[in-house]
Amino acid sequence: MLKALQIFGSSSGLVAFRWKPHATSGFILVSTNSLSCSAPRKRTRRPYLVLSPFSTRKASSSRALRVHSTGSESKMDASSSPPPSVAVQSAGIVRKINFCQWCGGATKYEIPDGEEKMRAICTLCGKIAYQNPKMVVGCLIEHDNKVLLCRRNIQPSYGLWTLPAGYLEIGESAAEGAIRETWEEASAEVEVVSPFAQLDIPLIGQTYIIFLSRLKKPHFSPGPESSECRLFSLDEIPFDSLAFSSMLVTLNLYTEDVKAGRPKFHYGTINKRPGTSPSDIHAYTLDYHLQS
């Protein structure tokens, strides 16, 4: 099992991993020019990490993890479109912030001293509004060689199946949040066994942390956000009726691990194919897939 995993992000897009020593894998640091933006400013060269993954779905050479600009999956309306200088710096959706969340003052877009990206800065109190990714936590519950899924009773993806999962709350650990979400969605008391997957979705600014878990008691029932809860054997999992690409990836990886006879820890980035609908859960690539 993976001994340590650390991921660090900076405004330049640096991503670093620290892995358990492995006889046939390693990593090296290389440098490349950082992203430019509209305002003239001296740029420094930033290091990026090249990874030699333990194993991947397809044999490939080391890949450099670099932040780059891409078009968003769907167009935002004009009222929410950020200034061009903001949008070009992000591979994901950046919302325009017109007013300060602290004092209500109007904002202006500038590059703060010591930074490289346009930010919304309050013209009254001077505070900077940072837009950061959200963490989604959940449980992959094993019971009698089956997994527990919940049918969603809310939008988005109403009526489709998912693992019990939701946004992490302030003041709780990832494991505590996953346990809470499982209770809220499936009325199930669980014990976390081990981390199973971390899946980043840069386009929508989310990171999923999924834990392998087991039921403390063989009891579960739908919570307010679920219309049904059910245990599925591997060959019964409704892969064409899952709510999100993250659930499809997680359950595919789990199925492969079970068939191989050994659970692993997985890290990967889910990138939706350009021009496809967010509701098309099969339209993605799993990039930088690393597993212990």
Side-chain angles (χ1 to χ4, degrees):
M1 190 52 116
L2 192 64
K3 183 177 181 181
L5 171 63
Q6 295 178 326
I7 300 178
F8 301 94
S10 73
S11 60
S12 65
L14 172 63
V15 180
F17 294 79
R18 184 174 158 213
W19 298 96
K20 177 181 178 181
H22 194 274
T24 59
S25 64
F27 57 86
I28 58 173
L29 284 173
V30 297
S31 295
T32 186
N33 287 326
S34 62
L35 291 174
S36 62
C37 53
S38 59
R41 195 175 176 201
K42 184 177 179 181
R43 298 291 179 225
T44 57
R45 296 174 68 85
R46 299 277 184 167
Y48 288 83
L49 188 65
V50 172
L51 296 170
S52 296
F54 299 140
S55 58
T56 61
R57 287 175 179 263
K58 298 179 181 178
S60 62
S61 58
S62 300
R63 297 166 179 162
L65 294 183
R66 301 168 189 262
V67 171
H68 55 86
S69 174
T70 63
S72 64
E73 196 169 40
S74 59
K75 295 182 180 178
M76 294 181 290
D77 58 63
S79 64
S80 63
S81 299
S85 55
V86 178
V88 76
Q89 300 175 61
S90 174
I93 296 173
V94 179
R95 302 293 183 185
K96 184 179 180 181
I97 300 174
N98 293 312
F99 300 99
C100 176
Q101 61 180 313
W102 292 280
C103 73
T107 62
K108 61 181 179 180
Y109 277 86
E110 291 182 355
I111 301 176
D113 292 340
E115 298 196 23
E116 296 181 350
K117 290 185 178 182
M118 283 282 190
R119 306 290 187 185
I121 305 173
C122 181
T123 56
L124 295 181
C125 69
K127 289 185 178 180
I128 302 171
Y130 292 97
Q131 297 187 62
N132 304 112
K134 298 262 187 190
M135 181 175 287
V136 179
V137 293
C139 289
L140 200 170
I141 302 163
E142 301 173 304
H143 184 75
D144 288 341
N145 298 316
K146 298 180 179 181
V147 296
L148 181 64
L149 299 182
C150 302
R151 190 191 291 271
R152 288 177 63 82
N153 197 36
I154 57 173
Q155 294 289 0
S157 302
Y158 175 87
L160 300 179
W161 293 93
T162 181
L163 296 172
Y167 289 117
L168 184 67
E169 298 282 359
I170 296 295
E172 62 186 6
S173 68
E176 289 170 340
I179 292 170
R180 172 186 54 76
E181 285 290 341
T182 301
W183 173 255
E184 291 176 357
E185 297 185 9
S187 301
E189 294 185 55
V190 297
E191 177 185 0
V192 166
V193 176
S194 65
F196 176 70
Q198 174 178 335
L199 301 170
D200 296 335
I201 313 178
L203 181 71
I204 59 175
Q206 291 183 357
T207 288
Y208 278 72
I209 302 291
I210 304 296
F211 295 91
L212 284 180
S213 309
R214 56 174 169 245
L215 293 172
K216 288 184 177 180
K217 302 175 183 178
H219 304 297
F220 54 85
S221 61
E225 296 183 2
S226 306
S227 60
E228 182 182 356
C229 296
R230 178 182 161 190
L231 289 168
F232 291 87
S233 62
L234 293 188
D235 57 1
E236 294 175 330
I237 294 175
F239 283 104
D240 290 327
S241 300
L242 295 176
F244 309 108
S245 295
S246 56
M247 300 295 101
L248 179 60
V249 171
T250 299
L251 289 167
N252 272 328
L253 294 175
Y254 174 74
T255 300
E256 291 177 1
D257 286 359
V258 171
K259 290 179 179 179
R262 185 175 73 89
K264 302 173 185 176
F265 177 83
H266 300 268
Y267 169 80
T269 300
I270 297 175
N271 288 310
K272 295 287 282 188
R273 297 191 187 112
T276 57
S277 168
S279 62
D280 187 350
I281 66 168
H282 297 276
Y284 70 89
T285 58
L286 179 61
D287 300 323
Y288 316 118
H289 178 207
L290 305 172
Q291 50 190 314
S292 64

